[in-house]
Amino acid sequence: MKRLYTTVVLTALTGCSLTTLAQTSGGKTPISQPLVSHIYTADPSAHVFNGKIYIYPSHDIDAKDVKEDDEGGHFAMRDYHVLSMDKIGGPVKDNGVALDLKDIPWAGRQLWAPDATVKNGIYYLYFPVKDKQDIFRIGVATSKSPTGPFKAEPEPIKGSYSIDPTVFQDTDGKAYLYFGGIWGGQLQRWSGNQYDPKGALKQKDEVAYLPRIARLSADMKSFDEPVREVQILDANGKPFLEKDNDKRFFEAAWLHKYNGKYYFSYSTGDTHNLCYAIGDNPYGPFTYKGVVLKPVLGWTNHHSIVQVGGKWYLFYHDVQLSGKTHLRNVKVTELTYNPDGTIKTIDAYK
Ligand code: FUB
């Protein structure tokens, strides 16, 4: 299977997502409905700021002038919209364009999955976009409002690369940026934080690529330390190999804290799972625990896990509205834990 991020039908034909095909032909019912349907949205990073829920998604568009390619070129997003809601199940507001590609001085193309946080009344939007040399970098933009408009810094974060940034602020005030994604996300081109345009995907028996972490400086706009790898280990303390592709990291990092433990969750990409691993501090190592969300309609699987009031929720996406892998819709469902702290696996269809 070579083609990256292709359409649902083609994905099913290539045989890498038979579950998805079964869900379609079996006529299963989604457990949740799209949060909005007037635009396509994906990769929902949700947060509660001042008691209100804000969702920072990708804004999928049908860029007809862009051809589908092996690197996800047809995910040609050009802006971000922030969604907000007062409570789960309540009306969802689209707050309009929060940041536009044309207003990011160094950007080339493809605004992929963002995340946001707040510190001292300033909201920080972290976003991946290809620079003018077509290399994914991570940028940061600021606003006094959670819904923007955001103003982008003139340069990407120094030392940043690849895609899918997620920001985590710990209770001690320290903030961390996690990021990375293989295949179209270009992580395979980075070794020892050096760029190699010829960087190859791992062979089946090689140790899989790992996500990255760096602590953020007090200004939230730069790294306070060199970027390092985030270790994800199996129950025996061993790293996953590339052939463990139903468990190894691919993209879509997220970090949340539950009962004092650190939960690192991510997508396995070509096997379409959202998995998680638990650690004792933000750097890990994280020990693999299982699947948060089984494959959804569409090729990609990407999420956030957030506490709202006394309950936990999984924000995710599928392609219920379009049937096309690059035109997704964000959703939310409750997430529950077992008494031992493990997460109960969610099937988005019943
Ligand atoms: O939305 C574009 C890319 O698709 C994201 O960056 C990945 O995580 C996948 O969801």
Side-chain angles (χ1 to χ4, degrees):
M1 211 291 291
K2 177 73 168 66
R3 181 168 286 274
L4 174 56
Y5 304 132
T6 189
T7 66
V8 177
V9 173
L10 191 55
T11 302
L13 289 176
T14 60
C16 70
S17 185
L18 293 176
T19 314
T20 299
L21 183 62
Q23 282 157 354
T24 311
S25 57
K28 288 189 173 184
T29 309
I31 57 169
S32 307
Q33 291 302 311
L35 288 175
V36 292
S37 56
H38 67 293
I39 55 172
Y40 292 112
T41 53
D43 312 322
S45 294
H47 293 275
V48 178
F49 297 135
N50 296 322
K52 196 165 168 158
I53 305 159
Y54 295 91
I55 307 166
Y56 299 82
S58 300
H59 175 199
D60 285 353
I61 52 166
D62 203 359
K64 295 198 167 60
D65 52 325
V66 181
K67 272 199 182 160
E68 210 168 290
D69 64 32
D70 287 351
E71 301 228 310
H74 48 302
F75 288 89
M77 298 83 108
R78 293 184 190 130
D79 64 21
Y80 294 116
H81 288 222
V82 181
L83 307 177
S84 56
M85 53 211 283
D86 289 330
K87 59 173 188 180
I88 300 287
V92 182
K93 183 178 176 196
D94 174 358
N95 295 279
V97 175
L99 179 65
D100 196 301
L101 187 68
K102 67 175 167 40
D103 297 323
I104 306 167
W106 54 273
R109 60 179 182 138
Q110 296 181 287
L111 280 175
W112 283 14
D115 192 17
T117 195
V118 63
K119 184 179 172 186
N120 298 335
I122 302 291
Y123 292 84
Y124 296 83
L125 180 72
Y126 298 91
F127 58 89
V129 67
K130 283 180 179 163
D131 65 15
K132 296 192 194 299
Q133 287 72 49
D134 234 25
I135 299 171
F136 266 118
R137 304 276 182 184
I138 295 167
V140 58
T142 54
S143 174
K144 286 187 176 154
S145 163
T147 56
F150 287 87
K151 183 165 172 43
E153 291 296 302
E155 302 286 342
I157 296 175
K158 198 167 174 222
S160 73
Y161 51 86
S162 194
I163 59 165
D164 291 0
T166 186
V167 57
F168 170 73
Q169 282 196 73
D170 209 345
T171 38
D172 62 4
K174 290 182 181 147
Y176 305 85
L177 201 73
Y178 299 81
F179 57 95
I182 60 173
W183 293 25
Q186 302 180 343
L187 188 61
Q188 66 277 8
R189 297 188 193 171
W190 292 90
S191 174
N193 296 330
Q194 298 299 313
Y195 184 68
D196 172 6
K198 296 204 175 88
L201 294 170
K202 299 277 188 172
Q203 298 298 310
K204 287 192 178 323
D205 287 312
E206 288 183 296
V207 172
Y209 282 109
L210 291 169
R212 304 295 204 264
I213 182 174
R215 194 176 59 240
L216 288 162
S217 309
D219 70 359
M220 301 294 276
K221 295 177 181 172
S222 54
F223 292 154
D224 203 21
E225 60 182 6
V227 171
R228 47 176 125 166
E229 292 182 338
V230 178
Q231 297 294 329
I232 304 171
L233 305 174
D234 68 14
N236 298 316
K238 295 233 166 76
F240 290 119
L241 305 181
E242 175 56 25
K243 67 184 172 195
D244 303 317
N245 66 335
D246 60 336
K247 299 183 189 71
R248 64 93 171 88
F249 173 80
F250 187 102
E251 62 186 5
W254 184 260
L255 198 286
H256 76 278
K257 206 169 168 183
Y258 175 74
N259 281 351
K261 295 281 185 188
Y262 296 78
Y263 287 60
F264 181 82
S265 47
Y266 56 95
S267 167
T268 60
D270 53 337
T271 53
H272 319 287
N273 289 319
L274 285 182
C275 292
Y276 74 106
I278 299 180
D280 292 324
N281 68 77
Y283 293 102
F286 296 93
T287 303
Y288 179 84
K289 292 293 174 184
V291 173
V292 177
L293 179 67
K294 293 180 181 177
V296 294
L297 290 169
W299 201 95
T300 64
N301 208 347
H302 192 127
H303 68 302
S304 55
I305 297 171
V306 189
Q307 188 173 27
V308 185
K311 291 186 172 180
W312 285 85
Y313 292 91
L314 174 77
F315 287 78
Y316 65 104
H317 67 226
D318 70 7
V319 298
Q320 183 184 331
L321 291 176
S322 74
K324 290 183 182 168
T325 248
H326 66 295
L327 298 176
R328 300 162 288 182
N329 45 255
V330 298
K331 297 181 160 188
V332 62
T333 192
E334 193 176 342
L335 174 144
T336 53
Y337 299 86
N338 295 305
D340 66 356
T342 54
I343 292 174
K344 290 187 181 165
T345 301
I346 297 169
D347 185 338
Y349 311 93
K350 58 185 179 204

